[in-house]
Amino acid sequence: MKTRKLMLGAVFASVFAVAAWAHGGATGVVKERMDGMGAMKEAVRLLTPMIQGQTGYDPGVIREQAALIAAHAGDALTGLFPEGSLDAPSEAKDTIRQDWEKFAALAEQLRETSQGLAAAADNGLMMSGDGTGGMMGEAPGEIDFAEMPADAAFTMMGQVCSACHSQFRVEE
């Protein structure tokens, strides 16, 4: 369980480590996109210690922060990547344009899993296991998030973030 908590923290720390300095020089849609990513980063930073059992668990905070992430995901996210917006200081790879369908699918999965986290908020945390609830092979739309522990939903959401960043974000 402790290893899983450390892994969760490491995943989210590495995914969002450089966002603070990256905004320098950004304007227009690139700044808007970076600000949205920063808002999601802050939500994850607030939720991580709660999900890891390091701070008190509050389902209301889980729902609120999950809703914030959902509001920045899906079409709201893909709309911030118009043609010509991938040059510096953007951290987005050109591969977004080459594999737009995959990028859009991940943006939608982020929306679905963050809404799923909100639905799972009242279920509390899993006491043992690997955090997947045995459902990782299923598409987010096929999962009943309301039946899973919140930390399993949070892990799924984090995996979507990591998958998108590893494929479509420039490595620092």
Side-chain angles (χ1 to χ4, degrees), residues 1 13 17 20 25 46 48-49 52 60 64 73 92 97 125 132 139 142 148 150 170 172:
M1 183 79 166
L46 180 68
T48 298
Q52 293 177 343
E64 176 184 287
R97 288 280 154 238
L125 303 175
T132 65
E142 300 170 1
M148 70 176 13
V170 174
E172 296 300 325

Side-chain angles (χ1 to χ4, degrees), residues 64-89:
E64 176 184 287
Q65 297 305 308
L68 183 148
I69 294 167
H72 287 283
D75 290 340
L77 181 60
T78 57
L80 295 174
F81 287 87
E83 290 282 340
S85 70
L86 301 180
D87 295 332

Side-chain angles (χ1 to χ4, degrees), residues 31-53:
K31 178 157 181 13
E32 194 176 336
R33 170 166 84 221
M34 288 178 165
D35 289 346
M37 294 289 185
M40 290 190 285
K41 171 194 169 199
E42 189 58 33
V44 168
R45 195 171 69 85
L46 180 68
L47 292 175
T48 298
M50 192 179 298
I51 294 295
Q52 293 177 343

Side-chain angles (χ1 to χ4, degrees), residues 99-162:
D99 202 353
W100 183 259
E101 292 79 23
K102 188 172 198 175
F103 176 70
L106 286 167
E108 181 58 22
Q109 285 178 6
L110 178 59
R111 187 189 64 75
E112 291 173 4
T113 56
S114 57
Q115 289 176 334
L117 175 58
D122 287 331
N123 298 337
L125 303 175
M126 184 183 324
M127 297 310 285
S128 64
D130 65 359
T132 65
M135 301 179 195
M136 291 311 296
E138 299 177 46
E142 300 170 1
I143 296 170
D144 186 359
F145 286 96
E147 298 297 321
M148 70 176 13
D151 51 337
F154 183 80
T155 298
M156 291 179 73
M157 185 184 74
Q159 290 172 338
V160 173
C161 293
S162 294

